[in-house]
Amino acid sequence: MSPAFEATFWGFVSGGALVIGAAIGYFARVPGKVVAGVMAFGSGVLISALSFELMEEAYKEAGLAATATGFLLGALIYAVANRLLAVWGAKHRKRSGTQQPSEEDQGGSGVAIAIGALIDGIPESIAIGLSILHGGAVSMATVAAIFLSNLPEGLSSSAGMRKAGRSAAYVFGVWTVIAVACGLASLAG
């Protein structure tokens, strides 16, 4: 299998978890405590896998200064983008309760939700492509971690979108576009 095809395939697999989670969140009534537990587990898996997989590799390849600079720059970009999204109406974009505003309540909140998910998904998917580029094979730990973190993200956000009155076409359209973007970002990586 060519590296480009492999990267794209695994990017679609990990991004596809958003659509699977969206289906669960949109059609099933999942208790808030279960959603919170799944999100906490997914977050922990992602943080640990990416820390052990990517940080070590970055340190070996580029040294401490470049690794620390990249880590801090990424954190800064994410924090600024997260703050901007909160101002634009996506403060509660990952909430499964009634906190998400509808488009009628706050215009542009739907676009902000989609942008927020892209900010989460694209760097993760690029990491998949980079793992193939540098290691010759996909890091299954990275793919599994991203998949496990995307599942509750789609679940929680979709439950909240449903409660905010967004249609199934809107919800699944957003998550499908983001899943495709994840596959393409993995190819780019």
Side-chain angles (χ1 to χ4, degrees):
M1 179 180 329
S2 77
F5 177 79
E6 187 176 8
T8 306
F9 173 78
W10 289 114
F12 284 135
V13 167
S14 64
L18 292 166
V19 179
I20 295 167
I24 295 168
Y26 197 84
F27 295 115
R29 303 287 184 227
V30 181
K33 288 185 179 185
V34 172
V35 172
V38 171
M39 287 191 74
F41 176 75
S43 298
V45 168
L46 181 64
I47 290 169
S48 64
L50 293 179
S51 294
F52 290 115
E53 291 278 321
L54 298 180
M55 293 301 285
E56 180 182 359
E57 185 67 27
Y59 175 74
K60 286 180 185 175
E61 292 289 323
L64 180 60
T67 301
T69 301
F71 179 80
L72 293 173
L73 185 59
L76 177 67
I77 291 169
Y78 184 86
V80 168
N82 195 49
R83 178 68 184 129
L84 289 173
L85 288 168
V87 169
W88 292 336
K91 181 177 182 178
H92 300 292
R93 68 186 178 276
K94 294 183 183 180
R95 299 283 185 103
S96 59
T98 58
Q99 299 95 337
Q100 284 189 20
S102 66
E103 277 297 316
E104 293 79 34
D105 293 337
Q106 185 167 0
S109 62
V111 173
I113 289 168
I115 291 169
L118 281 172
I119 289 171
D120 289 345
I122 289 178
E124 295 169 347
S125 298
I126 289 173
I128 292 171
L130 289 174
S131 74
I132 294 170
L133 182 65
H134 290 288
V138 69
S139 167
M140 290 310 292
T142 302
V143 171
I146 294 169
F147 185 92
L148 289 173
S149 71
N150 281 346
L151 195 64
E153 181 178 346
L155 187 155
S156 176
S157 297
S158 297
M161 287 181 196
R162 182 191 69 235
K163 289 178 182 174
R166 291 194 169 83
S167 69
Y170 175 86
V171 171
F172 290 105
V174 164
W175 292 117
T176 300
V177 167
I178 293 168
V180 169
C182 288
L184 297 175
S186 190
L187 173 63

